Amino acid sequence: MIKTKDSSVTLYSEKYSEHYHSTSGALEESLKKFIEPCNIKDNFLILDIGFGLGYNCLMALHNSKVKIISLEKEIVKEIQTIEVPDYLKKDYEKIKQAAKTLKYKDEIRIILGSAESTIKKLNEKFDAVFLDPFSPKKNPELWTLEFFRDIYSLMKHNSILATYSCASLVRKNLKEAGFKVLDGPCIGRRSPSTIAIKQ
Ligand SMILES: C[S@@+](CC[C@H](N)C(=O)[O-])C[C@H]1O[C@@H](n2cnc3c(N)ncnc32)[C@H](O)[C@@H]1O
């Protein structure tokens, strides 16, 4: 576990040899690269790909009354020991509860398994998608054209997918799946994140 530059903590994954978040600021990354670009609002149904430490879910729940379905392969036990700033503590208890029981009231539902398979069982229509796997090099199965097509088919018209990556293969696959692709904000590095709109 390490402290990032905005004082929030993240984990280093030995399995993927990557951090769960940008070391420039884990909670800042959630807010600036996922919640804000997706224009999260009350009553949104969000598809969260890669629950991880639940920070994207946390920041969405903290800012609006939303429902979230999260796809995750392996929930790490370290979540239960993570400390967040005081103003987020109450909402992070919901995340810790969901990490234990895969559910928090009707606000969060976690579907355990490989997202590229579990996504095929969904038939909800989502208002926003957080695409937050490890990098395309380390986690290629969640950046494929087939996976993006599956995501696209579950999104509402004009809804937004946000992701931190701007890799050219990622953008090419997003475009081929039907998305309009735009630059997202540059946070903690020179390159932008990516916003993909279903039009
Ligand atoms: C970068 S972390 C996500 C960080 C998270 N969004 C957060 O806010 O804390 C990537 C997550 O994707 C999960 N993951 C990797 N491959 C997966 C797969 N094929 N299906 C589902 N989850 C996967 C990992 O276990 C990890 O929790």
Side-chain angles (χ1 to χ4, degrees), residues 41-75:
K41 292 187 185 71
D42 285 352
N43 301 318
F44 263 28
L45 178 61
I46 301 170
L47 177 61
D48 174 54
I49 298 167
F51 177 77
L53 308 186
Y55 283 2
N56 292 346
C57 295
L58 168 68
M59 296 313 272
L61 282 179
H62 181 70
N63 286 295
S64 307
K65 270 191 173 316
V66 294
K67 290 185 181 167
I68 304 170
I69 295 181
S70 188
L71 308 182
E72 173 57 58
K73 200 172 186 170
E74 196 183 355
I75 295 178

PDB file of all heavy atoms in Angstrom, residues 41-75:
ATOM      1  N   LYS A  41     -24.850  12.013 -12.547  1.00  0.00           N
ATOM      2  CA  LYS A  41     -25.987  12.747 -11.955  1.00  0.00           C
ATOM      3  C   LYS A  41     -26.866  11.787 -11.158  1.00  0.00           C
ATOM      4  O   LYS A  41     -26.766  10.567 -11.334  1.00  0.00           O
ATOM      5  CB  LYS A  41     -26.883  13.302 -13.082  1.00  0.00           C
ATOM      6  CG  LYS A  41     -26.260  14.391 -13.901  1.00  0.00           C
ATOM      7  CD  LYS A  41     -27.342  14.955 -14.864  1.00  0.00           C
ATOM      8  CE  LYS A  41     -26.763  15.958 -15.808  1.00  0.00           C
ATOM      9  NZ  LYS A  41     -25.877  15.399 -16.827  1.00  0.00           N
ATOM     10  N   ASP A  42     -27.786  12.352 -10.357  1.00  0.00           N
ATOM     11  CA  ASP A  42     -28.738  11.527  -9.613  1.00  0.00           C
ATOM     12  C   ASP A  42     -29.491  10.598 -10.573  1.00  0.00           C
ATOM     13  O   ASP A  42     -29.784  10.988 -11.707  1.00  0.00           O
ATOM     14  CB  ASP A  42     -29.785  12.412  -8.903  1.00  0.00           C
ATOM     15  CG  ASP A  42     -29.192  13.095  -7.678  1.00  0.00           C
ATOM     16  OD1 ASP A  42     -28.051  12.787  -7.299  1.00  0.00           O
ATOM     17  OD2 ASP A  42     -29.886  13.959  -7.118  1.00  0.00           O
ATOM     18  N   ASN A  43     -29.782   9.416 -10.083  1.00  0.00           N
ATOM     19  CA  ASN A  43     -30.558   8.393 -10.803  1.00  0.00           C
ATOM     20  C   ASN A  43     -29.807   7.702 -11.936  1.00  0.00           C
ATOM     21  O   ASN A  43     -30.406   6.914 -12.667  1.00  0.00           O
ATOM     22  CB  ASN A  43     -31.883   8.965 -11.340  1.00  0.00           C
ATOM     23  CG  ASN A  43     -32.720   9.505 -10.212  1.00  0.00           C
ATOM     24  OD1 ASN A  43     -32.803   8.870  -9.162  1.00  0.00           O
ATOM     25  ND2 ASN A  43     -33.286  10.687 -10.389  1.00  0.00           N
ATOM     26  N   PHE A  44     -28.532   7.980 -12.078  1.00  0.00           N
ATOM     27  CA  PHE A  44     -27.754   7.256 -13.105  1.00  0.00           C
ATOM     28  C   PHE A  44     -27.569   5.793 -12.688  1.00  0.00           C
ATOM     29  O   PHE A  44     -27.399   5.485 -11.510  1.00  0.00           O
ATOM     30  CB  PHE A  44     -26.359   7.891 -13.250  1.00  0.00           C
ATOM     31  CG  PHE A  44     -26.235   8.879 -14.377  1.00  0.00           C
ATOM     32  CD1 PHE A  44     -27.328   9.599 -14.835  1.00  0.00           C
ATOM     33  CD2 PHE A  44     -25.004   9.109 -14.992  1.00  0.00           C
ATOM     34  CE1 PHE A  44     -27.211  10.514 -15.873  1.00  0.00           C
ATOM     35  CE2 PHE A  44     -24.871  10.017 -16.028  1.00  0.00           C
ATOM     36  CZ  PHE A  44     -25.974  10.717 -16.476  1.00  0.00           C
ATOM     37  N   LEU A  45     -27.581   4.916 -13.695  1.00  0.00           N
ATOM     38  CA  LEU A  45     -27.152   3.533 -13.505  1.00  0.00           C
ATOM     39  C   LEU A  45     -25.771   3.421 -14.157  1.00  0.00           C
ATOM     40  O   LEU A  45     -25.617   3.703 -15.355  1.00  0.00           O
ATOM     41  CB  LEU A  45     -28.145   2.567 -14.174  1.00  0.00           C
ATOM     42  CG  LEU A  45     -27.765   1.086 -14.084  1.00  0.00           C
ATOM     43  CD1 LEU A  45     -27.686   0.601 -12.636  1.00  0.00           C
ATOM     44  CD2 LEU A  45     -28.763   0.218 -14.861  1.00  0.00           C
ATOM     45  N   ILE A  46     -24.792   3.056 -13.350  1.00  0.00           N
ATOM     46  CA  ILE A  46     -23.393   3.073 -13.814  1.00  0.00           C
ATOM     47  C   ILE A  46     -22.848   1.650 -13.926  1.00  0.00           C
ATOM     48  O   ILE A  46     -23.054   0.824 -13.038  1.00  0.00           O
ATOM     49  CB  ILE A  46     -22.512   3.866 -12.812  1.00  0.00           C
ATOM     50  CG1 ILE A  46     -23.030   5.306 -12.670  1.00  0.00           C
ATOM     51  CG2 ILE A  46     -21.046   3.856 -13.238  1.00  0.00           C
ATOM     52  CD1 ILE A  46     -22.374   6.087 -11.526  1.00  0.00           C
ATOM     53  N   LEU A  47     -22.121   1.396 -15.015  1.00  0.00           N
ATOM     54  CA  LEU A  47     -21.385   0.134 -15.154  1.00  0.00           C
ATOM     55  C   LEU A  47     -19.926   0.437 -14.815  1.00  0.00           C
ATOM     56  O   LEU A  47     -19.277   1.255 -15.481  1.00  0.00           O
ATOM     57  CB  LEU A  47     -21.501  -0.402 -16.590  1.00  0.00           C
ATOM     58  CG  LEU A  47     -20.715  -1.680 -16.891  1.00  0.00           C
ATOM     59  CD1 LEU A  47     -21.169  -2.854 -16.008  1.00  0.00           C
ATOM     60  CD2 LEU A  47     -20.853  -2.068 -18.365  1.00  0.00           C
ATOM     61  N   ASP A  48     -19.426  -0.231 -13.770  1.00  0.00           N
ATOM     62  CA  ASP A  48     -18.070   0.015 -13.269  1.00  0.00           C
ATOM     63  C   ASP A  48     -17.223  -1.215 -13.599  1.00  0.00           C
ATOM     64  O   ASP A  48     -17.474  -2.285 -13.041  1.00  0.00           O
ATOM     65  CB  ASP A  48     -18.161   0.241 -11.756  1.00  0.00           C
ATOM     66  CG  ASP A  48     -16.811   0.375 -11.087  1.00  0.00           C
ATOM     67  OD1 ASP A  48     -16.007   1.221 -11.513  1.00  0.00           O
ATOM     68  OD2 ASP A  48     -16.563  -0.373 -10.111  1.00  0.00           O
ATOM     69  N   ILE A  49     -16.246  -1.047 -14.476  1.00  0.00           N
ATOM     70  CA  ILE A  49     -15.462  -2.218 -14.878  1.00  0.00           C
ATOM     71  C   ILE A  49     -14.106  -2.175 -14.176  1.00  0.00           C
ATOM     72  O   ILE A  49     -13.276  -1.306 -14.441  1.00  0.00           O
ATOM     73  CB  ILE A  49     -15.324  -2.269 -16.418  1.00  0.00           C
ATOM     74  CG1 ILE A  49     -16.721  -2.398 -17.026  1.00  0.00           C
ATOM     75  CG2 ILE A  49     -14.426  -3.446 -16.828  1.00  0.00           C
ATOM     76  CD1 ILE A  49     -16.776  -2.157 -18.512  1.00  0.00           C
ATOM     77  N   GLY A  50     -13.923  -3.116 -13.243  1.00  0.00           N
ATOM     78  CA  GLY A  50     -12.744  -3.142 -12.377  1.00  0.00           C
ATOM     79  C   GLY A  50     -13.050  -2.409 -11.080  1.00  0.00           C
ATOM     80  O   GLY A  50     -12.728  -1.240 -10.924  1.00  0.00           O
ATOM     81  N   PHE A  51     -13.681  -3.124 -10.128  1.00  0.00           N
ATOM     82  CA  PHE A  51     -14.056  -2.520  -8.838  1.00  0.00           C
ATOM     83  C   PHE A  51     -12.814  -2.075  -8.067  1.00  0.00           C
ATOM     84  O   PHE A  51     -12.808  -1.003  -7.448  1.00  0.00           O
ATOM     85  CB  PHE A  51     -14.855  -3.558  -8.027  1.00  0.00           C
ATOM     86  CG  PHE A  51     -15.263  -3.121  -6.657  1.00  0.00           C
ATOM     87  CD1 PHE A  51     -16.327  -2.262  -6.469  1.00  0.00           C
ATOM     88  CD2 PHE A  51     -14.576  -3.594  -5.530  1.00  0.00           C
ATOM     89  CE1 PHE A  51     -16.719  -1.866  -5.192  1.00  0.00           C
ATOM     90  CE2 PHE A  51     -14.961  -3.199  -4.249  1.00  0.00           C
ATOM     91  CZ  PHE A  51     -16.023  -2.337  -4.086  1.00  0.00           C
ATOM     92  N   GLY A  52     -11.753  -2.885  -8.095  1.00  0.00           N
ATOM     93  CA  GLY A  52     -10.481  -2.536  -7.455  1.00  0.00           C
ATOM     94  C   GLY A  52     -10.655  -2.192  -5.990  1.00  0.00           C
ATOM     95  O   GLY A  52     -11.143  -2.995  -5.191  1.00  0.00           O
ATOM     96  N   LEU A  53     -10.296  -0.973  -5.617  1.00  0.00           N
ATOM     97  CA  LEU A  53     -10.451  -0.524  -4.227  1.00  0.00           C
ATOM     98  C   LEU A  53     -11.773   0.212  -4.055  1.00  0.00           C
ATOM     99  O   LEU A  53     -12.035   0.799  -3.011  1.00  0.00           O
ATOM    100  CB  LEU A  53      -9.285   0.383  -3.820  1.00  0.00           C
ATOM    101  CG  LEU A  53      -7.889  -0.177  -4.078  1.00  0.00           C
ATOM    102  CD1 LEU A  53      -6.826   0.736  -3.496  1.00  0.00           C
ATOM    103  CD2 LEU A  53      -7.749  -1.592  -3.524  1.00  0.00           C
ATOM    104  N   GLY A  54     -12.561   0.244  -5.131  1.00  0.00           N
ATOM    105  CA  GLY A  54     -13.891   0.851  -5.054  1.00  0.00           C
ATOM    106  C   GLY A  54     -13.871   2.373  -5.071  1.00  0.00           C
ATOM    107  O   GLY A  54     -14.877   3.008  -4.735  1.00  0.00           O
ATOM    108  N   TYR A  55     -12.769   2.969  -5.487  1.00  0.00           N
ATOM    109  CA  TYR A  55     -12.700   4.436  -5.437  1.00  0.00           C
ATOM    110  C   TYR A  55     -13.631   5.099  -6.462  1.00  0.00           C
ATOM    111  O   TYR A  55     -14.224   6.139  -6.172  1.00  0.00           O
ATOM    112  CB  TYR A  55     -11.268   4.924  -5.689  1.00  0.00           C
ATOM    113  CG  TYR A  55     -10.315   4.781  -4.531  1.00  0.00           C
ATOM    114  CD1 TYR A  55     -10.705   4.193  -3.330  1.00  0.00           C
ATOM    115  CD2 TYR A  55      -9.005   5.238  -4.629  1.00  0.00           C
ATOM    116  CE1 TYR A  55      -9.813   4.065  -2.268  1.00  0.00           C
ATOM    117  CE2 TYR A  55      -8.106   5.122  -3.577  1.00  0.00           C
ATOM    118  CZ  TYR A  55      -8.511   4.537  -2.398  1.00  0.00           C
ATOM    119  OH  TYR A  55      -7.621   4.423  -1.361  1.00  0.00           O
ATOM    120  N   ASN A  56     -13.738   4.517  -7.641  1.00  0.00           N
ATOM    121  CA  ASN A  56     -14.646   5.130  -8.630  1.00  0.00           C
ATOM    122  C   ASN A  56     -16.093   5.040  -8.122  1.00  0.00           C
ATOM    123  O   ASN A  56     -16.866   5.996  -8.243  1.00  0.00           O
ATOM    124  CB  ASN A  56     -14.504   4.453  -9.993  1.00  0.00           C
ATOM    125  CG  ASN A  56     -13.149   4.718 -10.635  1.00  0.00           C
ATOM    126  OD1 ASN A  56     -12.421   5.613 -10.197  1.00  0.00           O
ATOM    127  ND2 ASN A  56     -12.807   3.959 -11.663  1.00  0.00           N
ATOM    128  N   CYS A  57     -16.438   3.893  -7.535  1.00  0.00           N
ATOM    129  CA  CYS A  57     -17.788   3.746  -6.952  1.00  0.00           C
ATOM    130  C   CYS A  57     -17.966   4.745  -5.825  1.00  0.00           C
ATOM    131  O   CYS A  57     -19.012   5.395  -5.712  1.00  0.00           O
ATOM    132  CB  CYS A  57     -17.975   2.337  -6.380  1.00  0.00           C
ATOM    133  SG  CYS A  57     -17.949   1.050  -7.601  1.00  0.00           S
ATOM    134  N   LEU A  58     -16.950   4.871  -4.980  1.00  0.00           N
ATOM    135  CA  LEU A  58     -17.025   5.785  -3.840  1.00  0.00           C
ATOM    136  C   LEU A  58     -17.291   7.216  -4.300  1.00  0.00           C
ATOM    137  O   LEU A  58     -18.196   7.884  -3.777  1.00  0.00           O
ATOM    138  CB  LEU A  58     -15.687   5.733  -3.078  1.00  0.00           C
ATOM    139  CG  LEU A  58     -15.450   6.818  -2.030  1.00  0.00           C
ATOM    140  CD1 LEU A  58     -16.406   6.630  -0.848  1.00  0.00           C
ATOM    141  CD2 LEU A  58     -14.007   6.799  -1.527  1.00  0.00           C
ATOM    142  N   MET A  59     -16.524   7.690  -5.262  1.00  0.00           N
ATOM    143  CA  MET A  59     -16.667   9.084  -5.677  1.00  0.00           C
ATOM    144  C   MET A  59     -18.007   9.309  -6.386  1.00  0.00           C
ATOM    145  O   MET A  59     -18.597  10.383  -6.277  1.00  0.00           O
ATOM    146  CB  MET A  59     -15.492   9.509  -6.574  1.00  0.00           C
ATOM    147  CG  MET A  59     -14.151   9.472  -5.865  1.00  0.00           C
ATOM    148  SD  MET A  59     -14.153  10.243  -4.228  1.00  0.00           S
ATOM    149  CE  MET A  59     -13.802  11.930  -4.643  1.00  0.00           C
ATOM    150  N   ALA A  60     -18.500   8.293  -7.091  1.00  0.00           N
ATOM    151  CA  ALA A  60     -19.814   8.420  -7.736  1.00  0.00           C
ATOM    152  C   ALA A  60     -20.914   8.500  -6.677  1.00  0.00           C
ATOM    153  O   ALA A  60     -21.774   9.373  -6.717  1.00  0.00           O
ATOM    154  CB  ALA A  60     -20.062   7.246  -8.674  1.00  0.00           C
ATOM    155  N   LEU A  61     -20.844   7.593  -5.689  1.00  0.00           N
ATOM    156  CA  LEU A  61     -21.864   7.571  -4.624  1.00  0.00           C
ATOM    157  C   LEU A  61     -21.809   8.819  -3.770  1.00  0.00           C
ATOM    158  O   LEU A  61     -22.832   9.300  -3.284  1.00  0.00           O
ATOM    159  CB  LEU A  61     -21.614   6.381  -3.685  1.00  0.00           C
ATOM    160  CG  LEU A  61     -22.039   5.007  -4.125  1.00  0.00           C
ATOM    161  CD1 LEU A  61     -21.664   4.010  -3.043  1.00  0.00           C
ATOM    162  CD2 LEU A  61     -23.538   4.955  -4.371  1.00  0.00           C
ATOM    163  N   HIS A  62     -20.608   9.326  -3.574  1.00  0.00           N
ATOM    164  CA  HIS A  62     -20.460  10.507  -2.722  1.00  0.00           C
ATOM    165  C   HIS A  62     -21.082  11.740  -3.372  1.00  0.00           C
ATOM    166  O   HIS A  62     -21.612  12.604  -2.691  1.00  0.00           O
ATOM    167  CB  HIS A  62     -18.983  10.768  -2.432  1.00  0.00           C
ATOM    168  CG  HIS A  62     -18.774  11.952  -1.543  1.00  0.00           C
ATOM    169  ND1 HIS A  62     -19.127  11.941  -0.209  1.00  0.00           N
ATOM    170  CD2 HIS A  62     -18.302  13.190  -1.801  1.00  0.00           C
ATOM    171  CE1 HIS A  62     -18.871  13.135   0.312  1.00  0.00           C
ATOM    172  NE2 HIS A  62     -18.374  13.912  -0.628  1.00  0.00           N
ATOM    173  N   ASN A  63     -21.007  11.788  -4.689  1.00  0.00           N
ATOM    174  CA  ASN A  63     -21.462  12.998  -5.384  1.00  0.00           C
ATOM    175  C   ASN A  63     -22.916  12.954  -5.827  1.00  0.00           C
ATOM    176  O   ASN A  63     -23.504  14.012  -6.064  1.00  0.00           O
ATOM    177  CB  ASN A  63     -20.557  13.275  -6.594  1.00  0.00           C
ATOM    178  CG  ASN A  63     -19.209  13.813  -6.131  1.00  0.00           C
ATOM    179  OD1 ASN A  63     -19.141  14.887  -5.570  1.00  0.00           O
ATOM    180  ND2 ASN A  63     -18.147  13.031  -6.317  1.00  0.00           N
ATOM    181  N   SER A  64     -23.504  11.783  -5.977  1.00  0.00           N
ATOM    182  CA  SER A  64     -24.879  11.689  -6.499  1.00  0.00           C
ATOM    183  C   SER A  64     -25.576  10.432  -5.982  1.00  0.00           C
ATOM    184  O   SER A  64     -24.924   9.500  -5.510  1.00  0.00           O
ATOM    185  CB  SER A  64     -24.866  11.628  -8.031  1.00  0.00           C
ATOM    186  OG  SER A  64     -24.136  12.682  -8.562  1.00  0.00           O
ATOM    187  N   LYS A  65     -26.896  10.415  -6.149  1.00  0.00           N
ATOM    188  CA  LYS A  65     -27.688   9.227  -5.788  1.00  0.00           C
ATOM    189  C   LYS A  65     -27.707   8.318  -6.998  1.00  0.00           C
ATOM    190  O   LYS A  65     -28.528   8.517  -7.915  1.00  0.00           O
ATOM    191  CB  LYS A  65     -29.123   9.646  -5.489  1.00  0.00           C
ATOM    192  CG  LYS A  65     -29.367   9.996  -4.043  1.00  0.00           C
ATOM    193  CD  LYS A  65     -30.876  10.122  -3.825  1.00  0.00           C
ATOM    194  CE  LYS A  65     -31.278  10.305  -2.391  1.00  0.00           C
ATOM    195  NZ  LYS A  65     -30.646   9.499  -1.396  1.00  0.00           N
ATOM    196  N   VAL A  66     -26.788   7.346  -7.041  1.00  0.00           N
ATOM    197  CA  VAL A  66     -26.682   6.502  -8.233  1.00  0.00           C
ATOM    198  C   VAL A  66     -26.782   5.033  -7.846  1.00  0.00           C
ATOM    199  O   VAL A  66     -26.686   4.686  -6.674  1.00  0.00           O
ATOM    200  CB  VAL A  66     -25.318   6.742  -8.940  1.00  0.00           C
ATOM    201  CG1 VAL A  66     -25.233   8.153  -9.494  1.00  0.00           C
ATOM    202  CG2 VAL A  66     -24.151   6.462  -8.002  1.00  0.00           C
ATOM    203  N   LYS A  67     -26.973   4.198  -8.860  1.00  0.00           N
ATOM    204  CA  LYS A  67     -26.873   2.753  -8.658  1.00  0.00           C
ATOM    205  C   LYS A  67     -25.720   2.262  -9.513  1.00  0.00           C
ATOM    206  O   LYS A  67     -25.540   2.755 -10.652  1.00  0.00           O
ATOM    207  CB  LYS A  67     -28.158   2.061  -9.074  1.00  0.00           C
ATOM    208  CG  LYS A  67     -29.279   2.383  -8.123  1.00  0.00           C
ATOM    209  CD  LYS A  67     -30.533   1.609  -8.438  1.00  0.00           C
ATOM    210  CE  LYS A  67     -31.600   2.022  -7.437  1.00  0.00           C
ATOM    211  NZ  LYS A  67     -32.925   1.587  -7.811  1.00  0.00           N
ATOM    212  N   ILE A  68     -24.979   1.292  -8.988  1.00  0.00           N
ATOM    213  CA  ILE A  68     -23.773   0.842  -9.690  1.00  0.00           C
ATOM    214  C   ILE A  68     -23.751  -0.673  -9.789  1.00  0.00           C
ATOM    215  O   ILE A  68     -24.008  -1.371  -8.803  1.00  0.00           O
ATOM    216  CB  ILE A  68     -22.506   1.295  -8.918  1.00  0.00           C
ATOM    217  CG1 ILE A  68     -22.517   2.813  -8.712  1.00  0.00           C
ATOM    218  CG2 ILE A  68     -21.240   0.857  -9.654  1.00  0.00           C
ATOM    219  CD1 ILE A  68     -21.436   3.316  -7.755  1.00  0.00           C
ATOM    220  N   ILE A  69     -23.437  -1.165 -10.983  1.00  0.00           N
ATOM    221  CA  ILE A  69     -23.121  -2.585 -11.146  1.00  0.00           C
ATOM    222  C   ILE A  69     -21.638  -2.644 -11.475  1.00  0.00           C
ATOM    223  O   ILE A  69     -21.161  -1.963 -12.405  1.00  0.00           O
ATOM    224  CB  ILE A  69     -23.952  -3.243 -12.261  1.00  0.00           C
ATOM    225  CG1 ILE A  69     -25.427  -3.221 -11.865  1.00  0.00           C
ATOM    226  CG2 ILE A  69     -23.481  -4.677 -12.505  1.00  0.00           C
ATOM    227  CD1 ILE A  69     -26.360  -3.862 -12.890  1.00  0.00           C
ATOM    228  N   SER A  70     -20.894  -3.400 -10.679  1.00  0.00           N
ATOM    229  CA  SER A  70     -19.450  -3.430 -10.837  1.00  0.00           C
ATOM    230  C   SER A  70     -18.998  -4.833 -11.213  1.00  0.00           C
ATOM    231  O   SER A  70     -19.456  -5.820 -10.629  1.00  0.00           O
ATOM    232  CB  SER A  70     -18.818  -3.001  -9.508  1.00  0.00           C
ATOM    233  OG  SER A  70     -17.447  -2.839  -9.658  1.00  0.00           O
ATOM    234  N   LEU A  71     -18.094  -4.910 -12.190  1.00  0.00           N
ATOM    235  CA  LEU A  71     -17.569  -6.209 -12.623  1.00  0.00           C
ATOM    236  C   LEU A  71     -16.131  -6.349 -12.102  1.00  0.00           C
ATOM    237  O   LEU A  71     -15.305  -5.463 -12.339  1.00  0.00           O
ATOM    238  CB  LEU A  71     -17.578  -6.313 -14.151  1.00  0.00           C
ATOM    239  CG  LEU A  71     -18.911  -5.988 -14.842  1.00  0.00           C
ATOM    240  CD1 LEU A  71     -18.793  -6.178 -16.352  1.00  0.00           C
ATOM    241  CD2 LEU A  71     -20.048  -6.839 -14.281  1.00  0.00           C
ATOM    242  N   GLU A  72     -15.858  -7.420 -11.406  1.00  0.00           N
ATOM    243  CA  GLU A  72     -14.526  -7.582 -10.793  1.00  0.00           C
ATOM    244  C   GLU A  72     -14.171  -9.068 -10.715  1.00  0.00           C
ATOM    245  O   GLU A  72     -15.014  -9.903 -10.405  1.00  0.00           O
ATOM    246  CB  GLU A  72     -14.521  -6.947  -9.388  1.00  0.00           C
ATOM    247  CG  GLU A  72     -13.265  -7.167  -8.565  1.00  0.00           C
ATOM    248  CD  GLU A  72     -11.988  -6.688  -9.250  1.00  0.00           C
ATOM    249  OE1 GLU A  72     -11.885  -5.501  -9.597  1.00  0.00           O
ATOM    250  OE2 GLU A  72     -11.081  -7.524  -9.466  1.00  0.00           O
ATOM    251  N   LYS A  73     -12.895  -9.338 -10.983  1.00  0.00           N
ATOM    252  CA  LYS A  73     -12.418 -10.721 -10.990  1.00  0.00           C
ATOM    253  C   LYS A  73     -12.035 -11.179  -9.584  1.00  0.00           C
ATOM    254  O   LYS A  73     -12.284 -12.308  -9.192  1.00  0.00           O
ATOM    255  CB  LYS A  73     -11.176 -10.756 -11.872  1.00  0.00           C
ATOM    256  CG  LYS A  73     -10.773 -12.090 -12.403  1.00  0.00           C
ATOM    257  CD  LYS A  73      -9.655 -11.844 -13.399  1.00  0.00           C
ATOM    258  CE  LYS A  73      -9.239 -13.073 -14.111  1.00  0.00           C
ATOM    259  NZ  LYS A  73      -8.342 -12.751 -15.218  1.00  0.00           N
ATOM    260  N   GLU A  74     -11.406 -10.275  -8.823  1.00  0.00           N
ATOM    261  CA  GLU A  74     -10.837 -10.675  -7.544  1.00  0.00           C
ATOM    262  C   GLU A  74     -10.838  -9.485  -6.582  1.00  0.00           C
ATOM    263  O   GLU A  74     -10.151  -8.497  -6.834  1.00  0.00           O
ATOM    264  CB  GLU A  74      -9.382 -11.099  -7.806  1.00  0.00           C
ATOM    265  CG  GLU A  74      -8.769 -11.868  -6.707  1.00  0.00           C
ATOM    266  CD  GLU A  74      -7.309 -12.198  -7.017  1.00  0.00           C
ATOM    267  OE1 GLU A  74      -6.813 -11.908  -8.128  1.00  0.00           O
ATOM    268  OE2 GLU A  74      -6.674 -12.736  -6.109  1.00  0.00           O
ATOM    269  N   ILE A  75     -11.623  -9.584  -5.518  1.00  0.00           N
ATOM    270  CA  ILE A  75     -11.668  -8.477  -4.552  1.00  0.00           C
ATOM    271  C   ILE A  75     -10.539  -8.652  -3.538  1.00  0.00           C
ATOM    272  O   ILE A  75     -10.385  -9.720  -2.952  1.00  0.00           O
ATOM    273  CB  ILE A  75     -13.027  -8.438  -3.832  1.00  0.00           C
ATOM    274  CG1 ILE A  75     -14.115  -8.126  -4.874  1.00  0.00           C
ATOM    275  CG2 ILE A  75     -13.037  -7.386  -2.724  1.00  0.00           C
ATOM    276  CD1 ILE A  75     -15.511  -8.096  -4.348  1.00  0.00           C
TER     277      ILE A  75
END
